[in-house]
Amino acid sequence: MKEQWILMLKSIQHDGKDTSVSELNTETEFYRDENGDLVLEYDESETTGMEGSHMQLRVSPEKMVSVIRTGTFQTHLVVQSGVKHFCHYATPFGDIAVGITAKWVRSTLTEHGGHLEMRYIVDGNSTLLSDNEIILDVRKKDTQEESI
């Protein structure tokens, strides 16, 4: 039987004028893959506004984070301190390539759960699109907890 995990995620986005904050608490698959990456997977819901999509977050041993969304909304972002990555981002208005520059990635994640924080800038044609901070905690689901 697979262990059940709880993901608590907080996303903060600044676009230069406004700040938006969203929070998500959901059940997730959490495991270490054959490459040594820690992987979180869950299905998006109506709550996130991305129903019909599947989210996979991969954290490599070098603290490089890949955010891969498939399904209705598709995204592939790579966040790594000290490196600018050019990534694919699908929007309702069409697909765009964006630059992702990490300010920092901090992780205490192990196969026993833990904490991950990252802050990164998203730009398009060298123009700031957003300044983002992601904070997430992963822990084993208590057998006494009800489904989220």
Side-chain angles (χ1 to χ4, degrees):
M1 182 173 147
K2 277 189 173 181
E3 291 183 303
Q4 295 182 339
W5 295 85
I6 300 294
L7 169 65
M8 293 175 283
L9 184 141
K10 182 176 185 178
S11 174
I12 305 164
Q13 294 182 324
H14 314 275
D15 67 5
K17 293 184 257 177
D18 299 317
T19 298
S20 65
V21 178
S22 60
E23 295 187 24
L24 173 69
N25 293 316
T26 190
E27 292 181 15
T28 186
E29 288 185 48
F30 180 61
Y31 57 92
R32 186 177 298 278
D33 73 5
E34 65 279 354
N35 297 319
D37 292 354
L38 289 167
V39 181
L40 288 151
E41 293 190 59
Y42 61 92
D43 289 323
E44 297 278 11
S45 68
E46 191 175 312
T47 305
T48 64
M50 299 196 181
E51 188 174 18
S53 296
H54 181 78
M55 176 65 84
Q56 183 182 80
L57 190 130
R58 305 179 70 79
V59 182
S60 75
E62 298 80 28
K63 296 184 183 173
M64 179 175 74
V65 180
S66 296
V67 180
I68 304 161
R69 182 178 287 121
T70 57
T72 306
F73 297 92
Q74 298 184 15
T75 307
H76 189 172
L77 306 178
V78 179
V79 182
Q80 183 179 18
S81 294
V83 179
K84 182 174 185 173
H85 289 274
F86 292 93
C87 304
H88 169 80
Y89 197 89
T91 74
F93 309 104
D95 295 355
I96 60 172
V98 295
I100 306 293
T101 306
K103 290 185 174 184
W104 40 260
V105 176
R106 300 176 186 138
S107 177
T108 61
L109 282 178
T110 70
E111 51 276 331
H112 304 290
H115 186 79
L116 172 72
E117 293 184 22
M118 56 184 172
R119 186 154 185 192
Y120 58 95
I121 301 290
V122 179
D123 72 77
N125 292 328
S126 299
T127 300
L128 174 69
L129 298 177
S130 64
D131 183 347
N132 306 275
E133 186 171 353
I134 304 290
I135 303 162
L136 66 83
D137 287 291
V138 182
R139 64 177 170 79
K140 285 184 185 175
K141 182 177 179 183
D142 184 337
T143 55
Q144 302 301 313
E145 287 182 273
E146 293 187 30
S147 290
I148 293 178

